[in-house]
Amino acid sequence: MNQSICLLGLNHRTAPVEVRERYALPDVDPRDQGLIAAGSGVKEAMILSTCNRVELLTVGREDKDTAREILRFWADCCGGDVHELQDHTYTHRNLDAVTHLFSVASSLDSMVLGEPQILGQLKQAYRSSVKQGTSGVVLNRLLHKSFSVAKRVRTETKVASNAVSISFAAVELAKRIFGDLSNQTAMLVGAGEMAELAATHLLSAGVKRMLIANRTHARGCELASRIKGEAVLFAELFERMAEADIVISSTGATQTVIQRRDVQSIMKRRRNRPMFFIDIAVPRDIDPDVNNLDNIYLYDIDDLKEVVEENLSQRKTEAAKAMVIVQEETEKFACWLRSLDLKPTILDLLAGGERIARKELKKTLRRLGPKADDPEVSQALETLVLSLAHKLYHQPLDFLKRRAQEEDAGARYIDVTRRMFNLDNEPPSPDAHPDRRKPKSSEE
Amino acid sequence: MNLTETLELAVLALYFLGAVLHILAVLIRGPLLRSGGQIATLLGFGLHTADIGLYMARYGGDALGHGPFYFSLMAWTLIIVSLVLNWRLRMHFLALTSLPLALIVYSFATTLPSMEVILPESFMGLWFGLHIGTLFLSICLLAMAASAGAVYLFLEKKIKGKTKITGLSKDLPSLSLFDQVNAWAVNLGFPLFTVGLLSGFLWAHFTWERFFSWDPKEVAAIIVWLLFAFLFHQRLVNGWRGRKPAKLAIWIFALSLVSMLGINFFLETHHSFQP
């Protein structure tokens, strides 16, 4: 391999937030800013810049010190100091870089293990690099591969399953009680930040209606207009609570606001339709005895925290399984990288041709019946089909050899050839056009 | 082996396969296995229908007086009720109860010695349709309600007790869906049970010139009806939901089983299946 992959980055583990902010690289075009230029060792580049990490992924010439070039470019872009930046960055080269990227895409390197946000950010970063024209054969392949690795990790492990935030845990529990949330009404009692977050999650999970009861009505109205809910007067709290299936309480009251007898009378009016109470206030807003009523489910902040902590520990166990997948996929990518040299591609192409020729020969010999027993006939036919196969590949191979001598085009043409003849035996991606999902084998 | 025996064996094999595939689908979370289980169930149900059709064609109205035929018909009704509930409520989970239960009941039908209950000719159609048909349907609905109720209680205990929901419990549908099965069973089952009971009394009146004869089966049926009526009333008038109707449905179904198997086989009754 005469190209090398280099990944330089900093993240929440290696740099404090002020450093991450100072060295963020949003909307930077590596070509415009001179990272990819004549004489530079960098040929392809992509920049991922999120609040928790900034990473520069490049493909360049093996004989150049691309890491130093990247570091200088990065410090220049941010008006920072190379030495300070170096103190907070990590560098991964070649297959280490591939493994790291696959781990990032699969959210194994995230602050919240398994959170899906990073994959979307990575896709966005890749789209930008395609738009800027800074991604080439290797990056294209590497990024597409990282998306499919992330998908495989999500499907084959439980690293992304189970809620790991209080509000997601509440939404999951609500689904367990009511199933579909699209017909449910939720009520916020108190309009704190946590309640608002839980409300947002419930709304995105499909809750039909949101009522907001706050002691300061104006604040309730303000929140209601922001989340498209309905503000209700605090004095009408229990009257309107009968309409709610899910109640999230987060008032700053020092004593419990919702008592067992209040809920009992609400349940009569609701004809026992179940209610889910989420008490995220400290000290608690809801009398714990409410949980003993039929068709009432009460979870306080400690109960939800426990759910979240158990889920997080389960994710950690699953992360080990996910790393095995990442290693496997890195190996596969390494094979592909090696195949970008001309020789393996020529050998694979000829071997593929010979395989088809021999298959057809076998069919023909079967059809010939007893005539095929003559060794001279079978020998002649074999020579014919094999030389035909080799001759058919002669022109494409000749073309490929010439292109391979051109520095920038070689890898691209080799990659196209491998894909055209499906030399890596890859199944079409699940989102491919239906015609591609059932490819007609060239051997049939 | 004649055609009937071959059919019976095929039905048993397909219901068995369906039950095993459904159980495996839950254990190893395989949607393909579940589809396989559904196909096996539908095939089994098709052959079972053919088996019932052939039996009716061979014996005509007399088939209605044959004990094994009752059990075959009960298993058939159980499958159809679970298929309808699955279609309406998307409760694949019910197959886990209906298939093994249908398998047991159908095995009964194939192993019971052929015995005949003497029925008055003029009431055969009416008696069969109203008395047996409606009672079968309501008992099968009760079976579904009882199994959904058992799972409801299990899941509810976990949610109320704030225990971690892992493994099989994670794949269970929501509590409200299990409660819906109970609502279906009660709203449909109770009127059907009432029709079944009334038609039975009417039939008794025409046969023995008395509506009620303190037969153990009749007494058990009245108790079941009273409990069922209580459940129906509480659901409809007082808005019972969740735990209480789930528990009561289990009790009523258990009592129906005792009445059907215990009394019919072991006690002196004019509903006896003893030859």
Side-chain angles (χ1 to χ4, degrees):
Chain A
M1 188 171 78
N2 51 14
Q3 302 182 89
S4 86
I5 301 170
C6 181
L7 186 144
L8 209 76
L10 53 82
N11 64 18
H12 54 278
R13 276 190 285 270
T14 65
V17 66
E18 59 273 13
V19 174
R20 297 206 299 271
E21 274 168 4
R22 190 156 60 246
Y23 290 99
L25 288 170
D27 309 319
V28 170
D29 186 333
R31 199 183 293 278
D32 281 357
Q33 307 283 335
L35 182 64
I36 301 177
S40 151
V42 178
K43 300 293 165 206
E44 301 176 34
M46 188 199 80
I47 300 172
L48 170 72
S49 184
T50 74
C51 51
N52 275 337
R53 71 176 65 240
V54 186
E55 288 186 349
L56 283 99
L57 177 65
T58 64
V59 179
R61 282 169 50 181
E62 212 173 27
D63 54 341
K64 294 251 184 178
D65 187 0
T66 42
R68 181 141 293 279
E69 277 182 50
I70 299 164
L71 205 62
R72 203 175 304 124
F73 158 81
W74 190 351
D76 287 350
C77 276
C78 305
D81 175 50
V82 173
H83 296 291
E84 183 199 28
L85 186 58
Q86 198 167 19
D87 288 344
H88 294 287
T89 51
Y90 44 85
T91 309
H92 296 292
R93 288 175 206 280
N94 298 323
L95 293 185
D96 284 345
V98 174
T99 307
H100 177 81
L101 181 72
F102 288 174
S103 308
V104 169
S106 313
S107 190
L108 301 175
D109 195 54
S110 300
M111 191 185 254
V112 180
L113 189 66
E115 54 93 19
Q117 208 182 2
I118 186 68
L119 185 60
Q121 289 164 331
L122 192 63
K123 283 183 178 171
Q124 185 53 48
Y126 173 60
R127 267 197 292 273
S128 298
S129 73
V130 170
K131 214 166 145 193
Q132 292 158 350
T134 58
S135 67
V137 176
V138 179
L139 275 195
N140 285 339
R141 177 76 169 203
L142 181 56
L143 266 299
H144 281 293
K145 199 73 201 163
S146 70
F147 304 148
S148 68
V149 172
K151 194 175 176 191
R152 206 185 140 196
V153 165
R154 285 181 82 82
T155 328
E156 294 180 23
T157 73
K158 290 179 207 145
V159 79
S161 68
N162 296 327
V164 285
S165 76
I166 297 286
S167 41
F168 263 121
V171 171
E172 272 196 6
L173 277 162
K175 282 185 183 164
R176 215 158 265 293
I177 296 163
F178 302 106
D180 181 19
L181 299 183
S182 60
N183 279 320
Q184 314 301 325
T185 299
M187 182 184 224
L188 297 187
V189 184
E193 206 177 307
M194 278 278 277
E196 187 180 339
L197 188 66
T200 318
H201 281 138
L202 279 169
L203 283 170
S204 58
V207 161
K208 189 175 71 176
R209 204 156 64 103
M210 187 69 70
L211 306 173
I212 298 120
N214 197 46
R215 275 190 208 280
T216 320
H217 190 59
R219 159 85 181 127
C221 290
E222 185 200 315
L223 179 59
S225 68
R226 201 160 56 238
I227 61 172
K228 295 194 178 78
E230 182 194 336
V232 300
L233 291 170
F234 205 78
E236 294 172 0
L237 177 67
F238 294 118
E239 208 170 300
R240 300 296 303 272
M241 199 180 275
E243 296 167 37
D245 307 290
I246 302 160
V247 177
I248 306 164
S249 190
S250 69
T251 72
T254 48
Q255 285 183 334
T256 49
V257 178
I258 302 165
Q259 315 296 340
R260 185 188 161 107
R261 60 177 181 279
D262 304 320
V263 180
Q264 256 172 331
S265 78
I266 287 170
M267 283 308 271
K268 265 188 199 152
R269 270 183 286 153
R270 285 175 60 81
R271 290 177 54 78
N272 292 313
R273 272 186 295 125
M275 282 182 94
F276 178 33
F277 285 89
I278 305 153
D279 186 355
I280 46 180
V282 181
R284 285 182 290 189
D285 278 344
I286 308 171
D287 175 9
D289 196 23
V290 163
N291 193 44
N292 295 327
L293 292 170
D294 266 1
N295 299 308
I296 296 286
Y297 307 92
L298 165 65
Y299 274 69
D300 63 30
I301 191 91
D302 284 351
D303 300 328
L304 290 170
K305 257 187 199 158
E306 214 170 293
V307 173
V308 165
E309 272 159 24
E310 275 188 56
N311 290 348
L312 262 176
S313 78
Q314 197 194 349
R315 280 192 179 194
K316 279 180 191 152
T317 320
E318 290 298 311
K321 291 182 201 164
M323 272 319 287
V324 175
I325 295 176
V326 165
Q327 292 300 344
E328 255 178 46
E329 295 293 340
T330 305
E331 276 303 309
K332 283 188 202 163
F333 191 79
C335 287
W336 177 81
L337 270 180
R338 282 194 292 272
S339 75
L340 280 188
D341 290 339
L342 186 60
K343 205 173 166 189
T345 300
I346 293 176
L347 291 176
D348 286 348
L349 204 57
L350 289 175
E354 279 184 19
R355 203 167 49 244
I356 299 168
R358 286 189 196 283
K359 197 172 174 186
E360 291 307 313
L361 175 69
K362 214 169 152 188
K363 277 189 205 165
T364 309
L365 289 176
R366 221 173 16 237
R367 242 177 270 135
L368 281 174
K371 288 180 212 161
D373 292 341
D374 184 347
E376 267 183 44
V377 174
S378 57
Q379 183 62 48
L381 281 173
E382 189 177 352
T383 314
L384 170 74
V385 292
L386 289 180
S387 67
L388 200 60
H390 287 171
K391 285 205 166 122
L392 278 173
Y393 284 122
H394 179 72
Q395 289 296 342
L397 287 177
D398 200 34
F399 171 82
L400 210 55
K401 278 177 197 162
R402 267 183 280 126
R403 293 287 87 80
Q405 282 157 15
E406 298 167 16
E407 195 191 339
D408 288 337
R412 194 168 77 237
Y413 280 105
I414 290 172
D415 181 50
V416 168
T417 308
R418 296 195 73 83
R419 281 159 61 189
M420 193 189 289
F421 292 96
N422 193 19
L423 297 182
D424 299 308
N425 287 320
E426 285 195 333
S429 68
D431 54 353
H433 187 277
D435 291 348
R436 272 194 64 217
R437 267 181 258 152
K438 291 175 191 168
K440 283 181 184 167
S441 166
S442 57
E443 297 180 26
E444 280 167 17
Chain B
M1 198 185 285
N2 61 31
L3 179 63
T4 311
E5 284 169 342
T6 315
L7 264 179
E8 283 175 356
L9 212 63
V11 173
L12 281 172
L14 284 165
Y15 283 169
F16 179 74
L17 183 68
V20 169
L21 288 175
H22 270 104
I23 292 166
L24 282 178
V26 171
L27 288 179
I28 52 176
R29 297 180 190 182
L32 269 178
L33 286 171
R34 195 173 65 201
S35 305
Q38 279 166 341
I39 292 169
T41 311
L42 284 173
L43 280 175
F45 181 71
L47 293 182
H48 195 165
T49 312
D51 181 40
I52 286 174
L54 280 176
Y55 203 92
M56 294 279 286
R58 187 184 306 155
Y59 295 103
D62 290 346
L64 310 177
H66 294 179
F69 186 67
Y70 291 155
F71 283 98
S72 171
L73 207 61
M74 168 146 263
W76 186 84
T77 318
L78 199 60
I79 296 289
I80 204 162
V81 166
S82 94
L83 287 175
V84 170
L85 279 175
N86 189 1
W87 167 61
R88 294 295 302 170
L89 302 175
R90 302 244 156 253
M91 289 277 272
H92 308 293
F93 186 79
L94 291 176
L96 289 182
T97 315
S98 61
L99 276 170
L101 210 59
L103 192 66
I104 294 168
V105 176
Y106 190 69
S107 311
F108 245 155
T110 54
T111 48
L112 270 180
S114 191
M115 54 205 146
E116 288 190 23
V117 180
I118 309 301
L119 300 172
E121 198 66 38
S122 52
F123 284 103
M124 285 278 268
L126 187 68
W127 178 85
F128 179 76
L130 283 179
H131 189 60
I132 289 295
T134 49
L135 283 179
F136 270 17
L137 269 173
S138 65
I139 288 171
C140 292
L141 280 164
L142 261 177
M144 295 296 100
S147 64
V151 187
Y152 179 95
L153 293 174
F154 167 76
L155 191 59
E156 206 234 12
K157 198 177 168 197
K158 285 200 159 218
I159 296 176
K160 273 252 189 212
K162 292 148 190 180
T163 341
K164 184 152 170 60
I165 296 165
T166 48
L168 294 183
S169 330
K170 274 195 82 174
D171 298 330
L172 292 175
S174 64
L175 279 180
S176 73
L177 205 56
F178 285 111
D179 190 54
Q180 246 179 298
V181 177
N182 188 288
W184 259 72
V186 176
N187 295 342
L188 272 173
F190 177 69
L192 286 170
F193 196 87
T194 309
V195 171
L197 216 62
L198 285 177
S199 59
F201 289 138
L202 215 59
W203 175 75
H205 172 69
F206 287 113
T207 313
W208 300 297
E209 291 180 348
R210 55 184 175 180
F211 286 102
F212 194 73
S213 51
W214 292 102
D215 179 80
K217 179 81 180 177
E218 290 173 7
V219 175
I222 290 286
I223 296 170
V224 169
W225 184 84
L226 283 172
L227 287 171
F228 215 160
F230 178 66
L231 178 56
F232 184 72
H233 173 268
Q234 292 300 84
R235 253 204 175 273
L236 210 67
V237 180
N238 291 336
W240 260 25
R241 274 168 192 270
R243 206 188 308 171
K244 284 180 191 162
K247 276 185 185 167
L248 197 50
I250 295 171
W251 280 110
I252 300 173
F253 178 63
L255 200 61
S256 308
L257 277 187
V258 170
S259 153
M260 196 165 58
L261 302 176
I263 297 176
N264 282 27
F265 279 104
F266 302 110
L267 290 183
E268 282 271 320
T269 165
H270 53 248
H271 285 83
S272 175
F273 287 133
Q274 298 297 347

